Amino acid sequence: MSRAPGAVVRRQRPLPSIVAITALFAVAASLAVPGFTTGPNLTNVGQQTAILLMLSMPMTLVIMSEGLDLSAGALLSLCGVVLAKLLVAGSGLPLALLASVAVGFAFGIFNGVLVSVLTLPPFVVTLGTLGIAQGAALVVTDGNAVTGIGPAAASFYALAPLAIPISLVIALAMWAITHVLLYHTRFGNGVFAIGGNRDALVLAGAPAHRYHIGVYAIMGAVVGITALLLVGRMNSGHPTVAIGMEFDAIAAVVLGGTAFERGDGRLYGTVFGVATIGIVRNALNLLGIESSMQVVSIGVLVLLVILLDSWRKEKGRAAP
Amino acid sequence: MEALKTLRMTAIAAAIAAPLLAGALPAQAANERLAAFYKNQVDPHFALVRGGVEAMAKQMGAGPVTNYAPTRPNNLAEQLSQIEDVTVKRPDAILFMAVDPRGVVPAIEKVNAAGIPIVNYNDRVAGGKFVSYVGADDFKLGLDTGRYALKAIGGEGGVVIIEGVKGSTTSDQRVAGFRKALEEFPKVKLLASQPANFQRLPALQVMENLIQGHPRIDAVLAAADAMALGAIEALEAAGRKNTKVVGINGVPEAIQAIKAGRLLATGEFDGFKIGCVATEAALRYLRKEPVPSEIILQGIVIDRSNLGPWDVPMEKRTCPKWADVAR
Amino acid sequence: MTALRDRFGDEAVAFALRLLLIAAVGVALAVFTEGFLSAANILNVLRQASLIFLLASGLTLVLLAGGFDLSVASNLTLAACLAAGVMQATGSPTFGALTALGCSTVAGIANGLAVTLLRLPPFLATYGTLWILQGLAFQYMGGNEIYGFPAGFRQLGTGFLWGVPVPVYLMAMVLVLGTLLTRKLNIGYEIYAIGANPVAARLSGIPVRRRQLLVYTLSGLMAGVAALVYLARVNSADSGIGEPLLLPVIAAILIGGTSLFGGVGSLLGTVAGAIILSLVINGMNLLNVRSTWQPLVVGAVLLVAVLADLASRGRRERIG
């Protein structure tokens, strides 16, 4: 169970169930759902999942480090509000983005210090910062949307290099960066080790605190970047828009096969988790399924994936 | 162990079958295909709107209506995805109410670009192009209902306002109307103005807490019936039966409460009518008949003397005549 | 503090800290607000705390045993809706109560079986059931509400007995019974042991799965009890009533010092947490503070509570 840092990465493991499930749903949707495979719809799915993908990438790191970040959704709202407020005040997009990232980063560092240095449970810490970020967003705006932000954010969001929406391009870039960070740097080994065996990491002389705080700081900074996409999408800042999005991100990560314990998991699994959520929601909307049944389907989907995973794990154990 | 395996396989099979069965519901093919949006599937007001939409669609021989409500109540991000998805589905017309008046504008512009006619109803959207807007004048409803309550307490005393979701048109405009009414009665003091998010339990608890700090409250102006009814529960439990409470909407429970003498009055924001008229506007537009760019349903203050027309279950209600509302 | 801790144990100190926090908030409010320090208002705060506590009590037991139950709030929603429907149809509060308790207990058993028999991770399994229960409530209610219950039944939520609100008696009763269960009976010791170390618990002969099933069942049952108090208090049910309660309930438990890792905490702590939460919101209403500040203040209180625990613990660790 305990693994030395550095010797952790590639081990032969079966594909997570989510890969098969994503494929199944994608095929089913293209056969059975009229309009699913059209260009505009696939663009939709891409745009809708981009924000979730952005959040889910660093969330995978957080969960691999045996952590959790419940504050991501509230923080995303807050960063969006900050970004929009600065745009209203007449600052340029780069400065506004910088401020948004700075706010996210500061919250991330705060979370990280409380979790790593003070050894407080991540769930508790980030539930506290969820409240603080949510409250700050509401207080700054008095609950109202921030509008009149000028065309900069929206026209950025409307960019589509090679007909791929910019939000998806950025999200895929985030995947690439996170992949390199996780699998090809010492920091990445550190992340696996924090989840696997933090004491061994400390004994090996690695800066465990710095890695651990880094995980949360990256989460915060990425939330700050994601705020630009969110604000561009709505052409306004909104203090409660991203409530609950952290749960979608956590669900995507865990559907992707990352476990809450022992730094176990794979980054691409998360990407499939995000894709499944996006495809299912889109297909149900295209089919015009009643919202109440959509709610039930999401629950069934979650249980289905974890059932499959646990069943295969059991089978694997029975016949090694 | 064998039993365990069987159980698990059965569970997996059931889990696979459920969404597939849901997906295999019959696809619809009929005359005009309408897609109708709601802010949530929790508040009975929207059940009334939906009733109106479906009644009029049936009456005018349109195809079945597809309904969309966010799975989390009033969730903007979900509503954005839903309107984008519906744009791909290309119904003949869309009936749309916004969770937030400004955040949805870019998505509405996409619908405009796709050339799908869209009628805005219930909550006004702050941008985009619509065939028509069908709704009520929330400011005037607040003003009229507020005035009614303040007159009923003799133009003096202490008053509490209970607000809905900050930033939503329905709450902000109604509360502005309440405040305007308060200006007309200089002897009335505003004791507190607290939001309760259009929900009953928060309204109940806000009221319980305010009762402790204010030994005398003469009237409560609530921006929606659900909150008015929550406040009444708190007042009755504290034995303060003399406090006059008004709400806005006119949901069935509020009408019953007026009949029972618990609620003083409510401003008419008739979901059923709004649903009817918005649907008729969309179908008329599709059938190349003229439709005014704005239809404001005049809402009255419903009290004991005139509640008859609303004291009727939804299935028995009839849509208003077009000539009476479209001017 | 150290001497106190040696003498009375960690938990007594943690509880004393919470009493101190309650006293501090109380004194501050008494100084600044009219009407705060009246018997009526204190009973009012207790009544508001009781609903949170009833829903949180079962979840506290689940957490003590090292599990999680995210579905409590939507379990409450479905139980309340079905009970309201039955009461409306039959006019009988008894049938209504049986429906609520039966339905919520069945949901609790389902959660328990998912965790014990199918061995699904509790956080995810109950996240799945959260959506399913919520979807069923949406489907059953169809957007409508059910209102107007018999006066006798309403006493459960609004009645007074010897000047004290009925729900407060319920809270006291559950607290006493729960404390007896967890502190005086063998089962309670086993629950703590399972939470602290499930492997060791199994090796020492504790029927781990049966105890786990028990706590999920109790969590379901308590959701049903809370649903009845909710109905009696509010006199109406719709499909959105539970969702806003989930985070406050978890916050109350965490403010009360129960650990998410199992084995640490108590129902007494959860009562204190629920009271602190209600006290803060009560004070903000009386001060006519805009409710936009509420999430921020609640988040800060949560962090203060865990930091206070840490400070007292940290000192002892440093000393020896």
Side-chain angles (χ1 to χ4, degrees):
Chain A
M1 206 172 304
S2 59
R3 289 174 300 196
V8 275
V9 193
R10 301 225 168 71
R11 213 173 50 175
Q12 244 355 73
R13 269 178 306 183
L15 287 175
S17 315
I18 193 73
V19 176
I21 288 172
T22 311
L24 182 78
F25 277 113
V27 170
S30 24
L31 292 178
V33 180
F36 178 78
T37 43
T38 59
N41 188 53
L42 294 178
T43 312
N44 265 351
V45 177
Q47 275 185 324
Q48 287 164 11
T49 48
I51 288 174
L52 187 55
L53 186 57
M54 290 286 284
L55 292 184
S56 303
M57 288 292 100
M59 189 67 91
T60 313
L61 302 189
V62 171
I63 292 179
M64 279 179 176
S65 71
E66 285 193 338
L68 202 60
D69 191 349
L70 294 178
S71 67
L75 186 56
L76 179 55
S77 307
L78 175 63
C79 288
V81 163
V82 168
L83 192 132
K85 280 258 172 198
L86 280 172
L87 288 177
V88 171
S91 85
L93 196 55
L95 183 67
L97 179 61
L98 197 69
S100 163
V101 173
V103 169
F105 190 71
F107 266 84
I109 295 271
F110 182 76
N111 282 337
V113 168
L114 262 57
V115 169
S116 176
V117 180
L118 299 183
T119 64
L120 292 175
F123 192 103
V124 185
V125 169
T126 56
L127 186 61
T129 44
L130 179 163
I132 293 176
Q134 186 64 71
L138 285 169
V139 169
V140 169
T141 59
D142 199 20
N144 293 306
V146 182
T147 51
I149 62 171
S155 46
F156 175 80
Y157 185 75
L159 292 178
L162 304 172
I164 304 167
I166 189 79
S167 52
L168 193 56
V169 173
I170 294 178
L172 291 174
M174 184 57 62
W175 177 18
I177 294 169
T178 315
H179 182 91
V180 171
L181 213 54
L182 186 59
Y183 293 108
H184 299 284
T185 65
R186 237 190 285 170
F187 167 77
N189 286 340
V191 172
F192 279 111
I194 290 169
N197 192 338
R198 197 175 191 278
D199 295 339
L201 188 67
V202 175
L203 289 177
H209 277 321
R210 224 188 297 159
Y211 290 163
H212 208 165
I213 296 171
V215 168
Y216 286 88
I218 291 172
M219 179 86 229
V222 173
V223 165
I225 300 169
T226 311
L228 173 61
L229 302 182
L230 192 63
V231 169
R233 187 176 186 209
M234 302 184 300
N235 199 18
S236 56
H238 198 279
T240 56
V241 60
I243 285 182
M245 224 179 254
E246 66 278 354
F247 273 104
D248 289 347
I250 294 168
V253 173
V254 187
L255 288 181
T258 300
F260 278 117
E261 301 98 21
R262 286 183 278 103
D264 209 8
R266 271 151 305 173
L267 195 60
Y268 71 82
T270 301
V271 179
F272 280 96
V274 171
T276 306
I277 292 176
I279 290 171
V280 168
R281 285 209 176 234
N282 175 263
L284 291 174
N285 280 341
L286 290 188
L287 287 169
I289 303 287
E290 283 287 328
S291 294
S292 53
M293 290 324 289
Q294 291 205 19
V295 174
V296 173
S297 321
I298 294 167
V300 171
L301 174 71
V302 170
L303 290 177
L304 165 71
V305 174
I306 56 175
L307 258 172
L308 265 180
D309 264 341
S310 93
W311 176 60
R312 291 180 55 210
K313 214 179 277 170
E314 197 116 320
K315 220 176 66 177
R317 219 175 287 148
Chain B
M1 197 62 215
E2 203 51 42
L4 177 65
K5 209 185 258 169
T6 319
L7 179 76
R8 190 169 282 154
M9 287 311 292
T10 319
I12 292 172
I16 293 174
L20 291 182
L21 283 178
L25 291 175
Q28 344 166 325
N31 300 339
E32 294 99 336
R33 294 171 309 133
L34 295 181
F37 282 75
Y38 310 92
K39 295 204 284 190
N40 62 56
Q41 46 186 334
V42 167
D43 189 323
H45 171 75
F46 300 115
L48 281 174
V49 177
R50 183 172 169 166
V53 169
E54 284 171 348
M56 182 53 88
K58 199 169 157 205
Q59 188 181 322
M60 292 182 72
V65 182
T66 324
N67 299 294
Y68 294 90
T71 53
R72 292 192 188 98
N74 304 326
N75 187 300
L76 177 55
E78 263 187 62
Q79 188 175 55
L80 288 174
S81 296
Q82 284 180 333
I83 186 80
E84 285 168 3
D85 290 345
V86 168
T87 310
V88 168
K89 199 172 146 72
R90 297 202 66 90
D92 294 310
I94 296 173
L95 308 173
F96 187 77
M97 63 172 87
V99 162
D100 178 87
R102 299 167 194 90
V104 296
V105 173
I108 296 301
E109 284 165 351
K110 275 194 198 168
V111 178
N112 292 152
I116 304 168
I118 176 164
V119 171
N120 181 200
Y121 68 152
N122 201 79
D123 283 69
R124 201 189 280 270
V125 179
K129 282 198 270 315
F130 293 95
V131 169
S132 182
Y133 169 69
V134 179
D137 185 341
D138 284 297
F139 177 79
K140 188 162 176 300
L141 277 177
L143 182 60
D144 290 348
T145 319
R147 268 185 195 147
Y148 185 95
L150 299 183
K151 263 187 213 144
I153 60 169
E156 57 186 317
V159 168
V160 167
I161 292 179
I162 302 186
E163 308 167 14
V165 174
K166 280 288 301 174
S168 72
T169 322
T170 34
S171 175
D172 290 356
Q173 288 296 312
R174 290 171 187 183
V175 171
F178 287 154
R179 287 183 178 265
K180 178 81 185 160
L182 279 167
E183 282 173 21
E184 295 172 3
F185 294 86
K187 283 194 203 149
V188 176
K189 189 170 169 247
L190 178 62
L191 302 172
S193 185
Q194 288 276 340
N197 298 336
F198 288 133
Q199 288 165 354
R200 191 179 301 243
L201 184 66
L204 173 83
Q205 295 192 337
V206 162
M207 206 60 224
E208 280 175 347
N209 291 337
L210 291 176
I211 285 170
Q212 303 304 329
H214 302 286
R216 197 177 148 189
I217 300 170
D218 294 285
V220 176
L221 314 178
D225 289 339
M227 299 190 293
L229 292 160
I232 289 174
E233 296 297 342
L235 290 163
E236 285 180 356
R240 302 238 189 136
K241 305 223 164 143
N242 293 326
T243 306
K244 311 273 189 221
V245 182
V246 293
I248 294 179
N249 277 356
V251 297
E253 187 182 359
I255 303 300
Q256 297 310 316
I258 293 174
K259 252 167 115 179
R262 301 167 71 213
L263 181 67
L264 178 66
T266 185
E268 178 201 0
F269 186 74
D270 190 330
F272 190 82
K273 277 190 195 168
I274 293 173
C276 289
V277 176
T279 309
E280 182 156 5
L283 292 174
R284 278 179 178 261
Y285 178 83
L286 291 174
R287 294 171 189 181
K288 313 275 184 243
E289 292 169 49
V291 174
S293 66
E294 191 174 273
I295 303 173
I296 302 297
L297 300 171
Q298 298 301 323
I300 62 164
V301 177
I302 306 173
D303 64 7
R304 283 190 99 153
S305 65
N306 61 5
L307 56 75
W310 290 274
D311 191 15
V312 175
M314 191 168 76
E315 311 81 63
K316 296 210 177 110
R317 294 197 189 185
T318 50
C319 285
K321 291 208 173 59
W322 181 253
D324 293 343
V325 291
R327 265 165 277 192
Chain C
M1 194 66 95
T2 314
L4 268 181
R5 191 180 283 278
D6 288 344
R7 191 132 163 228
F8 298 106
D10 281 2
E11 216 159 274
V13 174
F15 187 65
L17 275 173
R18 271 146 192 100
L19 286 183
L20 221 66
L21 194 59
I22 293 177
V25 177
V27 169
L29 289 174
V31 171
F32 290 111
T33 48
E34 249 175 282
F36 171 78
L37 206 63
S38 63
N41 190 45
I42 289 168
L43 289 175
N44 173 43
V45 168
L46 287 177
R47 182 170 52 190
Q48 297 186 355
S50 60
L51 181 66
I52 300 268
F53 171 74
L54 289 174
L55 191 53
S57 58
L59 177 53
T60 306
L61 295 182
V62 174
L63 289 172
L64 287 177
F68 210 128
D69 187 354
L70 278 176
S71 72
V72 281
S74 49
N75 198 353
L76 176 144
T77 308
L78 184 61
C81 290
L82 291 176
V86 167
M87 253 190 288
Q88 196 186 43
T90 65
S92 155
T94 318
F95 284 144
L98 288 176
T99 307
L101 300 177
C103 153
S104 68
T105 308
V106 166
I109 292 174
N111 280 331
L113 289 177
V115 171
T116 56
L117 202 54
L118 302 179
R119 287 191 222 140
L120 302 181
F123 190 87
L124 270 182
T126 55
Y127 182 69
T129 46
L130 178 166
W131 284 95
I132 292 178
L133 294 170
Q134 179 67 64
L136 293 176
F138 281 152
Q139 185 68 21
Y140 178 68
M141 298 301 278
N144 286 300
E145 60 185 350
I146 300 173
Y147 55 88
F149 306 123
F153 172 73
R154 303 249 6 242
Q155 290 297 312
L156 189 62
T158 55
F160 282 82
L161 195 62
W162 302 303
V164 176
V166 174
V168 177
Y169 287 103
L170 270 177
M171 172 160 80
M173 216 166 75
V174 171
L175 176 64
V176 169
L177 288 178
T179 307
L180 279 178
L181 173 83
T182 50
R183 284 301 148 86
K184 297 292 170 206
L185 294 185
N186 218 11
I187 293 180
Y189 160 78
E190 291 171 357
I191 288 173
Y192 276 90
I194 293 166
N197 189 338
V199 178
R202 192 170 60 236
L203 293 178
S204 62
I206 293 172
V208 173
R209 293 208 190 164
R210 252 190 291 160
R211 295 295 170 260
Q212 283 174 332
L213 185 58
L214 174 73
V215 290
Y216 285 99
T217 309
L218 286 175
S219 176
L221 176 69
M222 289 316 297
V225 173
L228 290 173
V229 171
Y230 188 106
L231 288 180
R233 223 156 114 56
V234 176
N235 201 20
S236 157
D238 65 55
S239 50
I241 55 179
E243 197 230 293
L245 294 173
L246 180 60
L247 286 186
V249 159
I250 295 177
I253 293 172
L254 296 176
I255 291 173
T258 294
S259 162
L260 290 165
F261 303 119
V264 177
S266 67
L267 285 170
L268 205 57
T270 301
V271 167
I275 292 175
I276 292 171
L277 210 58
S278 306
L279 206 55
V280 167
I281 292 170
N282 172 266
M284 291 175 73
N285 283 153
L286 288 182
L287 289 167
N288 203 20
V289 177
R290 290 214 64 89
S291 75
T292 46
W293 284 92
Q294 268 178 25
L296 199 154
V297 174
V298 170
V301 169
L302 176 57
L303 289 180
V304 167
V306 288
L307 283 172
D309 270 349
L310 184 81
S312 78
R313 204 187 325 143
R315 242 182 86 195
R316 187 177 64 151
E317 275 163 9
R318 241 171 286 145
I319 295 168

